[in-house]
Amino acid sequence: MRRAAALILAAALGAATAALAAPDAAWTWRLPAWLPPPVVPADNPMSEAKVDLGRRLFYDKRLSADGSMSCASCHEQARAFSDGRRTPSGVTGESHPRNSMSLANVAYLPVLTWANPLLTRLEHQALIPIFGESPVEMGMVGREDELFARLASDPAYPPRFRAAFPETGGRIDLASITRALAAFQRTLVSADSPYDRYRYGGQADAISPAAKRGEALFFSERLECFHCHGGVHLTDNLVHSRKPFAEYAFHNTGLHDRDGKGAYPPDNTGLVEHTGRPEDMGRFRTPSLRNVELTAPYMHDGSIATLEEAIAHYAAGGRRRSPLTSEFLPGFMLSAEETQDLIAFLRALTDRRFVEDPRFADPWQDAVPR
């Protein structure tokens, strides 16, 4: 992690140098009228060439030490860019303590991980899986020059780096790699679910009567779901180009209480790891519920397998309540029919076009194996 922190600084300095450059092409967001564009850092403007490069890097297993992992290994398009596992493992077999988060609409998140409030830029966050040491994920720490050489030796890459970063002559370095990855990830916008078409698009029949009843339950004071999963992306973490300030929140959802005072497992303590404040024990960032049908298992540790189990967890007010459990988990009673209505609503948040959009798919699928 120390090495990754140093690389974050190096990448930041590189990005700052490039801040004077202009994009090589205008960028047009393909968004519905109701959705504001995300914030794009001034030192990393969007361009078609940069997004194309970032997409290739995202799916390229040469970004890992043994060529076995790419970013997509833990962020599969078919699963709304999550991975379906309780927790992932890196190239050394070391398990990560936390569940892989969906990357859908990651450009709208003011903080990017489950518990680190300091990781706020995709350009910096990309260094953690590639070069992080605790845990090891892609395992490239200390092998930066090898990574640059791998990419430079593929005829597909040098012209794409030159097109994406003409201001540096297409230099292949940490700044260009992470900025291209960030640009691609900012395009992963999911906003065409049946619920979007119903709620924002004026299509009254886009969701079922059961889903409409589930929506009413979800946004009721009886269930309290909307307090943490509100807003356009169903999370209380949001920033966009028309919002004057970033909104972010972390919550303790009553998963653990090891000492009667709310202690969580020592390798997964949440926000307290970064703030040192006892009241932040067990607090994790609220994930978006967009595409939640596809992103199981749930919670920061992947300990809840299904939507039914998740609803039962919140109905009980948490698995192991403690003095630190969020006030928004008072518990509630729900009939079997109401549970099915709530699930129908949650399934109406699935954006099939997003998970099948060829713009986000693996561009190497038809290429010679790397």
Side-chain angles (χ1 to χ4, degrees):
M1 184 62 79
R2 291 192 297 273
R3 177 72 174 179
L7 292 173
I8 286 174
L9 176 60
L13 293 173
T17 301
L20 298 176
D24 62 344
W27 177 260
T28 301
W29 291 100
R30 300 181 189 180
L31 303 174
W34 53 265
L35 184 62
V39 174
V40 176
D43 58 14
N44 191 21
M46 301 290 288
S47 73
E48 294 283 354
K50 199 181 295 181
V51 170
D52 171 66
L53 174 61
R55 178 183 166 206
R56 289 177 181 276
L57 292 169
F58 185 86
Y59 284 97
D60 196 332
K61 294 180 178 178
R62 286 172 292 190
L63 269 66
S64 64
D66 62 0
S68 67
M69 287 185 68
S70 67
C71 304
S73 298
C74 296
H75 299 286
E76 304 170 24
Q77 184 181 11
R79 300 179 187 274
F81 293 93
S82 62
D83 69 359
R85 293 173 288 181
R86 179 166 181 162
T87 59
S89 299
V91 296
T92 63
E94 182 180 3
S95 293
H96 196 292
R98 286 183 277 278
N99 180 260
S100 296
M101 304 188 87
S102 169
L103 297 183
N105 301 313
V106 69
Y108 291 90
L109 293 172
V111 293
L112 298 171
T113 68
W114 281 108
N116 188 343
L118 305 177
L119 272 177
T120 60
R121 286 194 55 157
L122 288 167
E123 289 81 358
H124 299 166
Q125 195 280 330
L127 295 167
I128 301 300
I130 300 174
F131 300 105
E133 297 172 85
S134 179
V136 172
E137 295 182 62
M138 299 168 79
M140 289 303 291
V141 62
R143 305 173 71 166
E144 292 82 3
D145 289 340
E146 179 183 340
L147 171 59
F148 304 153
R150 288 181 187 179
L151 301 180
S153 68
D154 186 334
Y157 272 123
R160 285 185 165 85
F161 273 90
R162 287 193 292 273
F165 300 102
E167 69 276 12
T168 68
R171 186 170 61 234
I172 300 176
D173 58 14
L174 289 178
S176 56
I177 291 171
T178 56
R179 285 190 288 141
L181 283 168
F184 170 64
Q185 291 176 83
R186 290 193 174 97
T187 69
L188 301 178
V189 176
S190 173
D192 192 31
S193 69
Y195 183 67
D196 291 317
R197 295 196 290 276
Y198 165 72
R199 176 51 54 197
Y200 304 110
Q203 296 183 28
D205 60 350
I207 66 173
S208 67
K212 293 175 184 176
R213 294 192 297 270
E215 179 198 25
L217 287 167
F218 185 90
F219 288 100
S220 71
E221 292 290 348
R222 177 181 156 205
L223 267 61
E224 308 267 16
C225 310
F226 71 97
H227 288 295
C228 302
H229 292 287
V232 69
H233 291 313
L234 299 159
T235 171
D236 50 7
N237 291 261
L238 180 66
V239 65
H240 57 66
S241 58
R242 296 205 291 266
K243 194 171 177 59
F245 57 87
E247 175 186 353
Y248 56 91
F250 299 78
H251 301 281
N252 182 315
T253 55
L255 288 169
H256 301 281
D257 180 14
R258 292 195 159 195
D259 60 357
K261 300 177 183 177
Y264 267 48
D267 65 342
N268 229 350
T269 56
L271 186 60
V272 66
E273 176 183 344
H274 301 279
T275 66
R277 298 181 306 197
E279 63 268 30
D280 288 337
M281 173 65 73
R283 295 178 67 196
F284 292 87
R285 199 202 78 198
T286 315
S288 167
L289 293 188
R290 284 187 173 276
N291 303 295
V292 67
E293 176 186 14
L294 306 176
T295 60
Y298 307 110
M299 318 305 274
H300 72 278
D301 56 2
S303 62
I304 293 181
T306 66
L307 290 176
E308 289 83 354
E309 288 181 27
I311 292 170
H313 172 83
Y314 287 105
R319 185 166 62 209
R320 294 293 304 275
R321 287 190 64 85
S322 79
L324 300 178
T325 300
S326 170
E327 61 181 334
F328 296 128
L329 273 76
F332 50 81
M333 297 291 290
L334 209 58
S335 70
E337 182 179 356
E338 288 174 324
T339 298
Q340 292 308 308
D341 288 344
L342 190 56
I343 290 174
F345 166 67
L346 295 172
R347 287 178 174 161
L349 303 175
T350 301
D351 182 351
R352 295 290 175 189
R353 292 184 183 177
F354 173 68
V355 298
E356 297 171 0
D357 193 326
R359 294 176 300 153
F360 308 141
D362 183 355
W364 302 98
Q365 292 180 83
D366 300 324
V368 175
R370 301 178 300 282

